[in-house]
Amino acid sequence: MIGRDLNKAAKLLNEGKVIGIPTETVYGLAGNALNLEAITSIFKVKNRPFFDPLIVHISDLSEAEEYTTGIPEPLLLLAEAFMPGPLTLLLERRPVIPDLITSGLPRVAIRVPIHPVTKALLSILDFPLAAPSANPFGYISPTTAQHVADQLGDQLPYILDGGACQVGIESTIVGMEEDRVVVYRKGGISIEALQSFVPNIEVKLHSQSDPMAPGMLQSHYAPSCPLIIVDEFDIREYPDKKVGVISFNRKVTGVPEAMQYILSPNADFGEAAQRLFGAMRHLDTMDLDLILVKLLPEKELGRAINDRLRRAASR
Ligand code: TXA
Ligand code: MG
């Protein structure tokens, strides 16, 4: 059931239940991060392997003290600039954080959402919320309450509606390795934006560094329909196929309008990010044989969008 009742959401979370919640990035599947039963249900509902750890959402960065041993200076600079917002910090955890949350890893992922509904919810709870994206493992992340209901509705007692997500792709995940800041997932804060505060930033996506661990498995964010990355849209190459197209800003000739999805007519990366997962979901309902897509310019949020497209294509 979808609704806007904060008290109902809080009541269910207090009882250890798992519900859908909005954030500015994507919808989350939330439960009490300090309650093992709630955490276990999150993994079950999502059908997520236990080796893939969960992000802990808090209402204010000052609460990080309770759950971590501190914030190194370079990350503090980034936190001051981008939190609350679509940035997640990997910080050394305190024992109060259950092993299940971090999959036994020494660091815990901490995020402070800026969505007003998420903030209001966190402020009336006396525990932090563990929340992965509210999609079945490996599928596209949801950016509306209805997306959550479509796939997980029958397993959730409640989905708190906060409208369509403004950012539309997941948070950027950063941490330290020795004295370097490392980006582990490209997301809603671009690398260029991070670099304006901390010049030396390394990008090390999980799938490159450690295929066994932390999330970011190569195939991810994938629609059921095969998605192919092309250099040019030339649908003559697929004569007997029903082809759909995701395009950054231009119309594609030769493809019926209903089967093309233009992310941002004004070539705005923010708007494209906001609409990306909705585009994949929409085309995935159209009984197509193929979805063709061209990568965006590899800069700013284009990088995070391209990352999602490559993963969606790598099934
Ligand atoms: O924007 C977001 O971050 C959304 C919203 C709901 O907050 N959440 C989200 O969670 O995208 P999820 O679980 O779908 O992706 C979290 C990623 C996973 O790839 C996971 O492996 C990584 O964060 N992660 C979480 N905790 C970690 C840890 N302790 N060490 C390394 N990676 C971690
Ligand atoms: Mg996810």
Side-chain angles (χ1 to χ4, degrees), residues 25-38:
T25 57
V26 300
Y27 273 72
L29 196 58
N32 179 346
L34 307 177
N35 175 328
L36 291 183
E37 221 170 295

Side-chain angles (χ1 to χ4, degrees), residues 34-103:
L34 307 177
N35 175 328
L36 291 183
E37 221 170 295
I39 306 167
T40 308
S41 320
I42 292 175
F43 282 97
K44 274 202 197 127
V45 170
K46 207 177 144 82
N47 196 17
R48 177 171 176 134
F50 284 110
F51 63 73
D52 195 0
L54 304 179
I55 296 178
V56 172
H57 299 70
I58 57 179
S59 63
D60 190 273
L61 190 62
S62 60
E63 286 170 38
E65 270 176 46
E66 263 177 76
Y67 309 113
T68 71
T69 59
I71 308 179
E73 188 61 35
L75 295 186
L76 200 56
L77 280 176
L78 298 179
E80 279 163 2
F82 302 111
M83 288 175 127
L87 182 70
T88 295
L89 304 181
L90 290 186
L91 301 170
E92 204 159 313
R93 66 163 157 156
R94 289 191 191 275
V96 53
I97 294 290
D99 280 341
L100 256 183
I101 289 281
T102 66
S103 306

Side-chain angles (χ1 to χ4, degrees), residues 32-314:
N32 179 346
L34 307 177
N35 175 328
L36 291 183
E37 221 170 295
I39 306 167
T40 308
S41 320
I42 292 175
F43 282 97
K44 274 202 197 127
V45 170
K46 207 177 144 82
N47 196 17
R48 177 171 176 134
F50 284 110
F51 63 73
D52 195 0
L54 304 179
I55 296 178
V56 172
H57 299 70
I58 57 179
S59 63
D60 190 273
L61 190 62
S62 60
E63 286 170 38
E65 270 176 46
E66 263 177 76
Y67 309 113
T68 71
T69 59
I71 308 179
E73 188 61 35
L75 295 186
L76 200 56
L77 280 176
L78 298 179
E80 279 163 2
F82 302 111
M83 288 175 127
L87 182 70
T88 295
L89 304 181
L90 290 186
L91 301 170
E92 204 159 313
R93 66 163 157 156
R94 289 191 191 275
V96 53
I97 294 290
D99 280 341
L100 256 183
I101 289 281
T102 66
S103 306
L105 295 167
R107 292 186 293 186
V108 59
I110 298 283
R111 168 154 137 67
V112 187
I114 198 169
H115 191 297
V117 174
T118 333
K119 281 172 71 168
L121 178 63
L122 284 167
S123 73
I124 55 176
L125 298 172
D126 53 16
F127 46 81
L129 288 176
S133 52
N135 49 287
F137 185 68
Y139 195 70
I140 306 159
S141 298
T143 51
T144 66
Q146 189 59 48
H147 291 164
V148 183
D150 289 345
Q151 289 183 305
L152 302 176
D154 54 355
Q155 296 187 72
L156 299 176
Y158 200 56
I159 300 165
L160 184 61
D161 192 352
C165 300
Q166 292 298 301
V167 177
I169 52 175
E170 298 83 348
S171 60
T172 300
I173 303 181
V174 298
M176 300 288 296
E177 290 188 17
E178 283 152 24
D179 53 358
R180 286 160 301 135
V181 172
V182 178
V183 171
Y184 297 97
R185 177 174 70 184
K186 297 177 194 174
I189 304 287
S190 71
I191 291 173
E192 287 87 342
L194 298 176
Q195 275 166 339
S196 64
F197 291 87
V198 176
N200 290 319
I201 291 192
E202 189 177 330
V203 179
K204 200 171 181 179
L205 304 185
H206 286 315
S207 58
Q208 298 164 356
S209 50
D210 183 357
M212 257 311 285
M216 305 318 295
L217 304 169
Q218 190 62 31
S219 166
H220 222 103
Y221 312 104
S224 315
C225 171
L227 183 145
I228 298 180
I229 295 173
V230 294
D231 291 329
E232 292 305 327
F233 292 118
D234 184 359
I235 60 144
R236 289 168 304 183
E237 285 183 34
Y238 310 94
D240 302 317
K241 305 272 190 209
K242 195 171 165 195
V243 175
V245 158
I246 297 177
S247 160
F248 180 26
N249 60 329
R250 295 217 181 89
K251 277 193 190 164
V252 179
T253 48
V255 179
E257 294 235 345
M259 290 175 205
Q260 43 178 308
Y261 202 107
I262 296 168
L263 294 175
S264 171
N266 298 322
D268 178 86
F269 286 123
E271 184 183 30
Q274 208 178 70
R275 288 161 51 84
L276 176 70
F277 290 149
M280 288 191 203
R281 277 179 187 262
H282 175 70
L283 292 178
D284 212 13
T285 62
M286 295 192 63
D287 204 24
L288 301 169
D289 296 317
L290 275 182
I291 300 170
L292 301 184
V293 59
K294 247 168 78 172
L295 295 178
L296 277 62
E298 190 73 20
K299 61 173 189 180
E300 298 166 37
L301 288 186
R303 299 179 202 248
I305 294 170
N306 289 345
D307 170 83
R308 303 307 186 273
L309 292 174
R310 291 192 186 99
R311 286 175 206 276
S314 78

